Amino acid sequence: MEFVRSHILVCAGTGCTASKSHEVFDELVKQLESNGLDKEVKVIKTGCFGLCELGPVVVVYPEGSFYSRVTPDNVKRIVEEHILKGRIVRDLLYHETVKKDNISSINETGFYKKQLRIALRNCGIINPENIDEYIAYDGYAALARALTEQKPEEIIEIVQKSGLRGRGGAGFPTGRKWEFAAKAQGEEKYVACNADEGDPGAFMDRSILEGDPHSVLEAMAIAGYCIGAENGVIYIRAEYPIAVHRLEVAIGQAKEYGFLGKGIFGTDFNFDIEIRLGAGAFVCGEETALISSVEGRRGEPRPRPPFPAVKGIFGMPTLLNNVETYANIPWILQNGWEAMAKIGTEGAKGTKVFALGGKITNTGLVEVPMGTTIRDIVEVIGGGIPGGKKFKAAQTGGPSGGCIPASHIDTPIDYETLTSIGSMMGSGGLIIMDEDNCMVDIAKYFLDFTVEESCGKCVPCRIGTRRMYQLLEKITEGNGTMEDLDTLEELCEHIKQNSLCALGGSAPNPVLSTIKHFREEYVAHVRDKKCPSGICKNLLTYKILDNCKGCTACTRVCPVNAITGKVKEVHVIDPAKCIKCNACVEKCKFNSIIKE
């Protein structure tokens, strides 16, 4: 057996790949070969480590040294100093792991210490394109035990007792959904996986598929055994090429090892999985629209009931869960339902993966126990707001969610609590905003997305969301009235109650939550014709203060010659000419130009 003294793990998720981690990988291989170390040191491409802001990430074991923002130019030093001489290159390490006298584990940092990785348990640890590494971490053991030792109803009961709820947004109890599909009658049945992750800023499911695809395949096979299905379908958007590739590799390996196909583990159970690519329609995240797309039809929702568990793909009973939900299943069966049931809150068990972004120091992927507060995520895991700015709001649930104000920063994250304050769990996008964000503009941004993604099948969504957007546009342009606010709220309620699917029904959430928690900003836009955050251009006036040095830097960058003044004299901006491009503010070294 070949002896390997060190393993070098290189993040090959989408984030790090975009930062050229593949070039770092190639350079590592080259440097190890040139130093005669290629037989002693193994370089492995792995999934997301979570700290996406620090990519490309390279971790060297057995020391566990966490190198961040590594470039191909850094690789020679890492190989020659760390691998050859045993001297860790401290200046390339993630700064929180560098202590005065030693190097601490990445798990001791603020970003990781409050996390609990279940769905992400193998991401950043194994090579997602090597089935043997998944097996080494007890992969497919849950499937083997299920098929040879357990009855379908026993497994469904375990899932029910665990308290696992759907991680795709609605939070429906997973075990109950499995039970419904198992009891449904049909000539054949389907197990479907929703990997159509379309929320702006969301990349939870993508990262699981890129870092641990076999966990989803194993869970789908277990689900197939439980409900009596032999056919599995993974619906994934084509914009996820790395995830698609790793799924294809994983399915091929699982078939080769006999974990998919005929007579799995020597039993009479047959199960196979195919991939269906989506074209990037947000509405296809809704289960009935997804099913229509899988069938080759236009992705449009249909009325329910019947629910997919009764009548789904090609009219057959279909079990549909999202990627994160499935990723929990093998862990539950390996560790027992009690292990998950003791994590989280009374009504929300286990953990939740969030894509943390926006005005936050540590942008990345986090997994925390249900009940973790927004404060812990923002201030501890996220590292706080950059530039000393104040936390203003958190948007959960993407375009379907709502904005949670700073007054609710100690809110524990679970399904019912978020709903009670006007937001929702959603699939797991978590966007942080600071004092410079305009909440009216934020509501308009998310509504603009919803308008573009509406399938147009029902009138409330097709026309109502566009009308809401027009009213928000009117307000941000300084033409709004107080009556418009009343109309906006009335429209929101009509759309929530009458839309065909959850996309339309939840589209008003960003508007309603911002009106509820930040009404004073709406009033300022309407009554005072001012944007308190200085974001809405039509409501801004640029002014040069008396401390202007007359350096003429602003006049040289103004594209419309709106600034006049002599050298060493206070300059003046002509508001009639000013296009509010902000170039003068960015160029001024004396903070002499303000926005009012």
Side-chain angles (χ1 to χ4, degrees), residues 277-384:
L277 299 182
F282 181 64
V283 71
C284 286
E286 195 277 336
E287 57 183 9
T288 61
L290 182 154
I291 288 169
S292 293
S293 184
V294 167
E295 294 170 343
R297 296 183 289 114
R298 190 170 188 262
E300 290 181 332
R302 59 168 172 76
R304 298 175 300 173
F307 291 93
V310 175
K311 187 177 181 181
I313 296 175
F314 299 120
M316 296 295 124
T318 300
L319 174 64
L320 179 60
N321 290 123
N322 83 323
V323 170
E324 186 183 342
T325 308
Y326 282 125
N328 280 277
I329 296 297
W331 187 92
I332 292 171
L333 297 186
Q334 283 288 85
N335 294 275
W337 65 265
E338 301 91 343
M340 175 154 284
K342 70 180 182 182
I343 302 168
T345 65
E346 184 63 31
K349 302 299 183 182
T351 61
K352 182 71 189 80
V353 182
F354 290 98
L356 184 61
K359 304 289 188 66
I360 194 75
T361 299
N362 297 329
T363 299
L365 200 66
V366 306
E367 184 173 3
V368 294
M370 292 284 193
T372 300
T373 64
I374 296 172
R375 183 186 297 277
D376 277 340
I377 293 178
V378 173
E379 296 182 357
V380 181
I381 296 172

Side-chain angles (χ1 to χ4, degrees), residues 5-8 59-67 81-88 93 103-106:
R5 66 176 175 85
S6 293
H7 287 81
I8 303 178
V59 181
V60 180
Y61 287 102
E63 298 88 350
S65 304
F66 193 95
Y67 292 108
E81 290 295 315
H82 188 158
I83 306 301
L84 266 177
K85 301 175 183 177
R87 298 195 293 234
I88 295 173
L93 293 173
I103 305 299
S104 64
S105 165
I106 190 69

Side-chain angles (χ1 to χ4, degrees), residues 200-446:
F203 50 94
M204 302 76 60
D205 290 352
R206 185 195 74 199
S207 296
I208 292 172
L209 293 176
E210 290 177 352
D212 192 19
H214 285 285
S215 66
V216 176
L217 303 186
E218 181 178 12
M220 291 180 68
I222 293 169
Y225 171 67
C226 289
I227 73 166
E230 296 187 353
N231 304 294
V233 177
I234 299 177
Y235 184 84
I236 181 170
R237 52 182 46 219
E239 293 99 320
Y240 286 178
I242 296 176
V244 171
H245 168 72
R246 288 181 185 157
L247 273 175
E248 290 171 341
V249 171
I251 290 172
Q253 291 175 342
K255 288 180 178 179
E256 182 183 345
Y257 276 57
F259 301 149
L260 290 176
K262 303 288 186 181
I264 300 173
F265 284 109
T267 68
D268 60 357
F269 175 61
N270 308 320
F271 190 77
D272 214 339
I273 295 175
E274 63 176 307
I275 298 172
R276 293 290 180 91
L277 299 182
F282 181 64
V283 71
C284 286
E286 195 277 336
E287 57 183 9
T288 61
L290 182 154
I291 288 169
S292 293
S293 184
V294 167
E295 294 170 343
R297 296 183 289 114
R298 190 170 188 262
E300 290 181 332
R302 59 168 172 76
R304 298 175 300 173
F307 291 93
V310 175
K311 187 177 181 181
I313 296 175
F314 299 120
M316 296 295 124
T318 300
L319 174 64
L320 179 60
N321 290 123
N322 83 323
V323 170
E324 186 183 342
T325 308
Y326 282 125
N328 280 277
I329 296 297
W331 187 92
I332 292 171
L333 297 186
Q334 283 288 85
N335 294 275
W337 65 265
E338 301 91 343
M340 175 154 284
K342 70 180 182 182
I343 302 168
T345 65
E346 184 63 31
K349 302 299 183 182
T351 61
K352 182 71 189 80
V353 182
F354 290 98
L356 184 61
K359 304 289 188 66
I360 194 75
T361 299
N362 297 329
T363 299
L365 200 66
V366 306
E367 184 173 3
V368 294
M370 292 284 193
T372 300
T373 64
I374 296 172
R375 183 186 297 277
D376 277 340
I377 293 178
V378 173
E379 296 182 357
V380 181
I381 296 172
I385 312 297
K389 298 286 186 176
K390 293 180 181 179
F391 169 74
K392 185 173 186 177
Q395 167 84 5
T396 64
S400 302
C403 293
I404 303 168
S407 58
H408 288 288
I409 194 171
D410 291 309
T411 297
I413 292 179
D414 63 32
Y415 299 94
E416 281 70 33
T417 304
L418 291 181
T419 301
S420 70
I421 59 174
S423 189
M424 63 184 293
M425 182 78 73
S427 59
L430 183 56
I431 309 300
I432 307 302
M433 287 158 272
D434 68 12
E435 58 194 272
D436 291 336
N437 285 107
C438 169
M439 303 313 294
V440 185
D441 183 65
I442 288 292
K444 188 176 75 169
Y445 167 80
F446 281 110

